[in-house]
Amino acid sequence: MARERRAAPHSPPTRRTRRSTGPIAATAALLLGVGLLTGPAAAAPAPASDKAAATPSATPLTPELERLRAEEARKLYGDPGERPLEERKTSLISLGDSQISGEGVGNYEPGTDGPDNWCHRSPDVAVHRTGIDADVTYNVACSGASSKNIRIGGEKQYADELVQSDSLAITARNTRLKQITLVVGANDDLQFGPVMTDCVVRWLTLQGPCQKKYEEGWQDRVDGLVPKVEATVNDLKTVMRDAGYAEDDYQLVLMSYPSPIGPDFRDNPDFPGKLVCGGTGYDSDTAWGRDHAVPAFQKGLRTAAQNSGATYLDASRLFHGHEVCTEDTRARGLHLELDNPVPPDENTARQSFHPNKRGHGAYAECLTQIYQAHGDGVREASCADQPGTGKPRVHPTAWDDEFTPLRNAATGECLDAREGSSRNGTAVGGWKCADPGPDGQAGQRNQGWWLDGSNGSLVSELSQDRCLDIPKGDITEGAEPTLYKCSGADNQRFEHRADQTIRPTTNPDLCLTLTTPESPLTLAPCTSTPTQHFTT
């Protein structure tokens, strides 16, 4: 679906060098842009050679797609002609599956909420809400889509739907595309929806956790979807090349999936119970999903992006602290209509565990920021809340490259969140270092840490919403730091110095200390002894 962002449909878009920083700023810029070109410069026609150079050399569409393109052009400009690139309206488009189509928002566009089409597109999805300066936005993603519904020569999902790459081909010829967002892979080998549904049913029917059923073959599923995602990206690049674009004329973003669930919901002071908030599942399954299933999926998508040349946006941690049943959730819990059967099947529960309106707002912030970073050459980034702010921030590298173990020189142990928990108040201390993964990162996520240089937060790899915290702000000798919800406050600010000590920013005479094997982490006066040296 296309959404206009300004009036005057016959006015060609004008070049603007200012980057907007939000939806309100972008809308204001677009309104101001109408009629900006006045006077002799606007009246003088472009030289014939310049206009010819601006006209893309596009491969002709099939007769049916050309007919649809002409119809769309009439809506945009009042006539069916294909315009030179510089005379077109600018646009954004999102392709993929339910994660980006609007499934779960609950505000669906006519014709996409059954009975013959269940794409579940919403006007509140990310592509319509970014701060990117664009005249028209398109959402052609569809709930349930897999790579075969997107690729060149692929399959239609419904009779009134195009293969998504064909929709892209039309849009690319009628507008000047600035950003293409692709979210795909969950409905290929992974079959994420059926797995989630099975885990919910097992909880409702007291069958026991689903982790053991799926964990052994999970990596094989991820490995199977990677080449399909790569091929999908390459097909979209072919579509754009056939439409006359060079690769640097637009940004193609492959975005990963966030974890919609997590085990820390009981830290919500208003937690109403799992059935009420829709967090239906075993606690151990929610931890496995957040700490293993989603991270493995994310790494597969990162590989696909690297192999295909897409810009990669790691959103796997974007919903940490905002999972189902937490306060200010960005995801919808189990959702069943009144006439749905219990226990639910895959179709009746399809709206569950998807981004809600707030979730798509977070996506929009991330897509805006990564588009702005594109001009600086960023081709791989992560997006999650900046600790203590509750606001998404793009970080110019993948999270895989940030979290590392902190090894104590005296004990040889690693800084460890006890029992792999990330609940508020979890004790932190020394423990045998887990074997590192093949990428050299922490072998277990409860031993991975990242010092955010922007504010000094020492973030746990378990959750972007859990930081090392000195309880009650008592930054004095003998205090025992724990994990707690990230706040950005002084009692969560540290600095890792060149002498390998880690010190509270507001009391640098104290150092994090491990006195003996398996001892709790404490604050002690800095003595520059091995008990206070931590290496990455």
Side-chain angles (χ1 to χ4, degrees):
M1 167 150 186
R3 293 194 174 273
E4 290 277 357
R5 289 195 174 184
R6 70 178 185 188
H10 299 291
S11 300
T14 60
R15 284 193 177 273
R16 288 178 286 272
T17 56
R18 183 185 64 81
R19 289 175 177 163
S20 61
T21 57
I24 294 176
T27 303
L30 293 172
L31 293 173
L32 289 171
V34 176
L36 274 180
L37 290 183
T38 59
S49 59
D50 290 347
K51 192 163 185 177
T55 303
S57 176
T59 301
L61 294 171
T62 64
E64 175 60 16
L65 291 183
E66 175 56 27
R67 181 185 66 80
L68 295 173
R69 186 211 61 77
E71 289 180 1
E72 177 71 8
R74 285 192 184 94
K75 296 176 184 177
L76 290 170
Y77 307 106
D79 66 75
E82 185 172 340
R83 282 152 178 76
L85 197 62
E86 293 302 313
E87 293 182 9
R88 302 176 190 172
K89 294 185 178 185
T90 54
S91 66
L92 315 172
I93 192 170
S94 58
L95 303 94
D97 58 28
S98 57
Q99 192 67 210
I100 201 70
S101 73
E103 182 79 84
V105 176
N107 175 25
Y108 302 123
E109 295 171 354
T112 70
D113 191 25
D116 300 317
N117 182 319
W118 296 97
C119 283
H120 276 168
R121 297 189 183 110
S122 170
D124 294 318
V125 295
V127 71
H128 301 318
R129 298 168 61 190
T130 74
I132 302 171
D133 192 5
D135 303 319
V136 195
T137 55
Y138 296 86
N139 175 22
V140 301
C142 185
S143 180
S146 66
S147 58
K148 68 183 180 182
N149 305 123
I150 304 172
R151 295 196 58 192
I152 295 173
E155 300 177 10
K156 293 183 177 182
Q157 281 183 264
Y158 302 104
D160 60 343
E161 290 288 327
L162 291 176
V163 174
Q164 292 184 34
S165 58
D166 287 341
S167 294
L168 176 64
I170 291 171
T171 302
R173 286 165 172 79
N174 279 336
T175 63
R176 178 158 55 92
L177 272 164
K178 301 176 75 171
Q179 186 185 68
I180 303 166
T181 301
L182 173 65
V183 183
V184 68
N187 298 316
D188 285 281
D189 300 57
L190 206 65
Q191 292 293 294
F192 201 85
V195 171
M196 286 289 295
T197 301
D198 183 43
C199 293
V200 169
V201 169
R202 291 178 67 86
W203 182 80
L204 289 170
T205 56
L206 306 179
Q207 295 181 52
C210 65
Q211 174 184 349
K212 291 183 179 180
K213 180 177 179 179
Y214 293 108
E215 64 181 341
E216 183 177 350
W218 193 253
Q219 188 59 51
D220 290 338
R221 293 183 182 219
V222 172
D223 293 343
L225 68 86
V226 169
K228 296 175 183 177
V229 176
E230 289 178 24
T232 303
V233 171
N234 287 326
D235 275 6
L236 298 186
K237 292 168 70 174
T238 297
V239 168
M240 295 300 288
R241 186 167 57 250
D242 287 349
Y245 289 72
E247 284 197 19
D248 59 358
D249 288 337
Y250 63 96
Q251 183 186 48
L252 173 54
V253 178
L254 177 64
M255 186 172 78
S256 70
Y257 297 68
S259 177
I261 57 173
D264 300 332
F265 46 84
R266 290 187 180 86
D267 285 334
N268 178 359
D270 299 318
F271 173 59
K274 289 184 178 183
L275 282 174
V276 174
C277 59
T280 46
Y282 289 94
D283 290 4
S284 60
D285 287 341
T286 64
W288 175 71
R290 184 195 67 178
D291 298 341
H292 300 282
V294 170
F297 188 15
Q298 177 276 129
K299 289 182 180 180
L301 291 175
R302 184 187 185 191
T303 297
Q306 291 171 335
N307 291 346
S308 62
T311 296
Y312 179 60
L313 178 60
D314 178 0
S316 61
R317 302 174 71 83
L318 181 59
F319 288 6
H320 284 188
H322 305 279
E323 299 100 332
V324 172
C325 292
T326 63
E327 62 268 44
D328 193 28
T329 179
R330 290 176 179 167
R332 191 177 203 174
L334 180 66
H335 175 82
L336 301 175
E337 302 294 345
L338 292 178
D339 58 348
N340 289 155
V342 178
D345 60 24
E346 177 188 353
N347 291 321
T348 58
R350 65 187 298 165
Q351 296 187 62
S352 309
F353 307 108
H354 282 86
N356 58 21
K357 186 175 180 179
R358 284 189 295 272
H360 276 277
Y363 284 168
E365 288 285 346
C366 297
L367 291 170
T368 300
Q369 292 179 40
I370 199 169
Y371 181 79
Q372 294 169 343
H374 184 67
D376 298 325
V378 173
R379 296 296 179 267
E380 188 173 69
S382 306
C383 195
D385 284 4
Q386 182 175 359
T389 68
K391 296 180 180 180
R393 179 190 61 172
V394 161
H395 183 71
T397 185
W399 292 125
D400 294 343
D401 298 335
E402 294 293 359
F403 289 90
T404 60
L406 291 171
R407 187 184 297 268
N408 184 262
T411 66
E413 296 177 327
C414 286
L415 207 58
D416 179 282
R418 296 303 195 215
E419 298 181 358
S421 174
S422 51
R423 290 287 307 276
N424 283 337
T426 294
V428 178
W431 200 258
K432 180 182 177 181
C433 296
D435 292 335
D439 53 6
Q441 301 305 105
Q444 294 180 352
R445 290 168 72 88
N446 59 308
Q447 293 185 354
W449 303 88
W450 172 54
L451 184 64
D452 184 349
S454 69
N455 64 1
S457 298
L458 194 56
V459 184
S460 169
E461 190 174 6
L462 288 167
S463 174
Q464 198 75 12
D465 195 48
R466 292 296 182 265
C467 291
L468 193 68
D469 176 280
I470 302 172
K472 300 180 181 180
D474 183 21
I475 311 175
T476 58
E477 181 178 354
E480 297 185 0
T482 63
L483 285 189
Y484 211 83
K485 182 179 178 65
C486 297
S487 66
D490 285 348
N491 62 318
Q492 292 185 357
R493 296 171 58 207
F494 299 88
E495 53 187 56
H496 196 174
R497 295 194 173 184
D499 65 357
Q500 300 179 346
T501 59
I502 301 176
R503 308 181 184 214
T505 302
T506 56
N507 192 349
D509 292 332
L510 297 176
C511 288
L512 297 185
T513 305
L514 289 178
T515 55
T516 59
E518 301 182 13
S519 66
L521 186 67
T522 61
L523 285 180
C526 295
T527 58
S528 194
T529 60
T531 61
Q532 297 176 344
H533 293 171
F534 292 87
T535 59
T536 58

